[in-house]
Amino acid sequence: MRAAPMVAVSFRCGHGAEPDSGAVALARVCPLCMLLHETQRSRSELLARVAPPQRAALARETRIGASYEWRCARGHDRYPATVGDVLTGPSCAKCRSNAAAPGARREAGMAFMKPGLRLGTSQVEQRLRMLLGERIRLHHRVNAVRIARMFYGKQEVWPDILVPQLRVAVEYDDPGRSRRAHLGLKEASDLEKDEALREVGWEVIRIRAGGLESLGPGSIVCRSLTVEVVDEVVAQMRRIRGDAAVDALLVTRRHAV
């Protein structure tokens, strides 16, 4: 029995076959562009990581299962992997081995300030930081935590808010304008990030707003960010670390005479 002939397809993102070549035109972006959007990355980031001779092919690629040779950001040997694995996987084998080494584990769990770290912060996240800062003293000189594994090519993660005195990270998730953020592979990535933090002694409180479902015992499910939700974040901290530890961080309010 003969296999069905392959059908050329063009996508709305401009990748795939040329639209005027008789290809079937689909009114959606290609699978690779969908995964890039879902993992909040760009094709230019991928092109910077792939072996130079393969950049032209990757610039046109539509398949997430296509395999390429990748350059390790830390200068290790090139390694083969699919596009999907590079976007959702840990890194090269040497990086994974180094992350699990005894020397690296001694630093695991340490909060630190990563200079030049640029993360998009929404107005809701800024409001969360403000409301939480009215209740407990926040440390403004840390923005990253060392972990004992590789996560998107880094041995560190960058939660929305860190409370290093309690070793608690606070994350705010909502589906965004696309209604797809923090779903699918991004949800799996969030779970892996939480697991990496727990491995090194941190706990994670996730605010899951806008219809997102709970990801576990540390989740606070709500329609939107409210004062009551922030109060529940503090209550969660008490359940995780105890009243005495949280009381030591309470903001003292001055009452007008």
Side-chain angles (χ1 to χ4, degrees):
M1 184 176 179
R2 292 184 178 181
M6 296 291 290
V7 178
V9 177
S10 66
F11 297 91
R12 178 166 53 85
C13 57
H15 299 113
E18 294 295 329
D20 57 358
S21 64
V24 175
L26 299 182
R28 62 176 177 83
V29 300
C30 72
L32 176 50
C33 284
M34 289 175 66
L35 182 58
L36 287 168
H37 175 73
E38 196 170 336
T39 54
Q40 299 180 353
R41 279 160 175 78
S42 67
R43 196 173 287 251
S44 61
E45 289 180 65
L46 277 182
L47 292 176
R49 296 178 60 182
V50 77
Q54 297 184 308
R55 285 178 183 163
L58 183 58
R60 301 187 300 270
E61 187 60 72
T62 62
R63 302 163 299 157
I64 63 175
S67 185
Y68 288 84
E69 288 284 322
W70 304 91
R71 301 186 303 169
C72 173
R74 298 189 176 189
H76 300 142
D77 294 338
R78 293 180 183 179
Y79 62 101
T82 67
V83 176
D85 286 342
V86 167
L87 286 172
T88 61
S91 192
C92 79
K94 182 68 172 177
C95 282
R96 295 197 299 271
S97 176
N98 289 346
R105 285 190 172 274
R106 282 194 290 270
E107 294 186 355
M110 181 177 66
F112 66 101
M113 173 60 73
K114 185 177 180 67
L117 180 61
R118 295 181 180 180
L119 295 175
T121 304
S122 68
Q123 291 184 347
V124 179
E125 290 171 0
Q126 293 174 16
R127 182 166 178 259
L128 169 60
R129 180 175 289 277
M130 180 194 72
L131 290 173
L132 191 56
E134 291 176 351
R135 289 155 175 77
I136 62 172
R137 289 182 286 107
L138 296 179
H139 199 308
H140 298 287
R141 296 184 180 179
V142 292
N143 59 7
V145 179
R146 299 273 184 208
I147 55 175
R149 63 167 79 178
M150 299 301 294
F151 184 76
Y152 288 106
K154 305 287 185 182
Q155 200 176 335
E156 61 197 43
V157 291
W158 315 315
D160 295 333
I161 297 175
L162 295 174
V163 187
Q165 304 94 318
L166 303 176
R167 285 205 165 197
V168 169
V170 181
E171 300 272 27
Y172 177 82
D173 304 337
D174 68 34
R177 293 182 179 179
S178 68
R179 308 305 300 170
R180 294 181 55 195
H182 294 283
L183 294 169
L185 285 171
K186 186 61 175 69
E187 181 177 293
S189 172
D190 290 338
L191 285 168
E192 183 183 353
K193 183 179 180 182
D194 295 354
E195 183 180 316
L197 281 164
R198 292 190 178 103
E199 280 180 353
V200 295
W202 284 68
E203 291 294 333
V204 183
I205 300 172
R206 278 195 179 272
I207 301 172
R208 302 280 290 175
L212 295 179
E213 296 180 354
S214 171
L215 291 186
S219 295
I220 299 173
V221 178
C222 60
R223 293 182 62 184
S224 60
L225 181 66
T226 63
V227 169
E228 290 75 19
V229 168
V230 180
D231 287 338
E232 178 57 24
V233 170
V234 177
Q236 283 264 35
M237 291 179 181
R238 290 184 179 279
R239 288 191 284 272
I240 293 169
R241 300 302 187 204
D243 289 337
V246 176
D247 287 344
L249 297 180
L250 292 180
V251 173
T252 303
R253 294 179 174 81
R254 297 180 179 180
H255 299 283
V257 178

